[in-house]
Amino acid sequence: MDNIALTRKERILMFLNEYYFGGSALTTLLRLFSGPPMFYIGLTMYSKASDRVGIGYGGLMVVFSIYYTFKPFLWILFKWKYFRSVEFRIEATADRLLIQEDGSESQTEYSKFERIVKRTNYFALSVQKGLKIYLPIAGLSASTVDTLTQHEKK
C-alpha cells in the first residue's frame, strides 16, 4: 500500500494543468487564447456602439471575457476548502483500486472509471463528470504505476 500526501499547492497545480491541458486540442486553445481577444472585441464594441444594444452586448462580452479568462482561479478562490492538503493510502490490485483516508475506505473497479490518464507527473482518474482523483507518480510504487498504466483509458 502506498502512502500519499498531497499538499494544497500540488492539488492546485494538478487542477490547473488538467483544466487547461486535460481536454482536446481545441478546448486547450480556446481556454488559453480566447479570453483576451474576446475582451478586446467587447471593449471595441462598447466604445464604438451607437445604441443601447451595442453598448449592452459589448459590456456583456467584456464581463464574460474576464470571467472566462479567470474562471479556474475563481474556482480555486471560492472552493478553497476542496484544495486542502490530504493524506491517504492507495493500493492498486489487478481488478480494483483501494483508497483509504481517515478511517474510510473505498474500493472501485477499474471498469467504473470513465478515464484513467497518465500525465507527466500524475495520474488523473475520472470517476464521473466533475469528480477526479489525482495521484502523483512520485508517491506511487513501481507496481502501482504499472497497474494503473495497464488500465489506462483515454
Side-chain angles (χ1 to χ4, degrees):
M1 205 167 254
D2 302 326
N3 291 320
I4 297 176
L6 279 175
T7 64
R8 176 172 275 157
K9 179 182 176 184
E10 289 173 322
R11 292 186 73 184
I12 289 172
L13 290 175
M14 287 182 212
F15 166 74
L16 289 173
N17 188 50
E18 203 61 25
Y19 178 82
Y20 285 112
F21 305 107
S24 67
L26 179 62
T27 303
T28 298
L29 287 173
L30 287 174
R31 286 183 174 168
L32 286 174
F33 300 114
S34 66
M38 192 184 322
F39 179 78
Y40 175 74
I41 292 167
L43 202 59
T44 303
M45 286 180 67
Y46 184 81
S47 65
K48 296 187 179 196
S50 59
D51 59 352
R52 291 178 129 172
V53 174
I55 291 171
Y57 190 69
L60 180 67
M61 279 188 72
V62 167
V63 170
F64 180 76
S65 67
I66 291 170
Y67 165 75
Y68 191 75
T69 301
F70 296 106
K71 184 165 93 170
F73 301 102
L74 293 172
W75 282 352
I76 293 167
L77 180 66
F78 292 120
K79 296 183 180 191
W80 188 249
K81 66 180 178 180
Y82 295 126
F83 294 97
R84 72 190 196 306
S85 297
V86 293
E87 292 182 19
F88 57 94
R89 294 185 349 223
I90 183 170
E91 182 179 358
T93 63
D95 61 338
R96 69 184 67 222
L97 188 67
L98 171 69
I99 300 174
Q100 294 178 338
E101 177 189 14
D102 295 334
S104 66
E105 184 177 298
S106 173
Q107 291 186 21
T108 308
E109 294 178 6
Y110 294 114
S111 61
K112 302 292 182 192
F113 288 104
E114 289 182 2
R115 287 179 47 186
I116 299 175
V117 182
K118 184 179 181 181
R119 304 284 184 211
T120 306
N121 299 321
Y122 62 93
F123 280 95
L125 293 79
S126 299
V127 180
Q128 61 187 15
K129 185 174 175 130
L131 180 60
K132 290 190 177 182
I133 301 168
Y134 302 117
L135 303 173
I137 292 175
L140 301 174
S141 65
S143 63
T144 302
V145 172
D146 290 341
T147 303
L148 290 172
T149 303
Q150 288 173 1
H151 293 285
E152 191 171 5
K153 300 184 227 180
K154 292 187 180 190

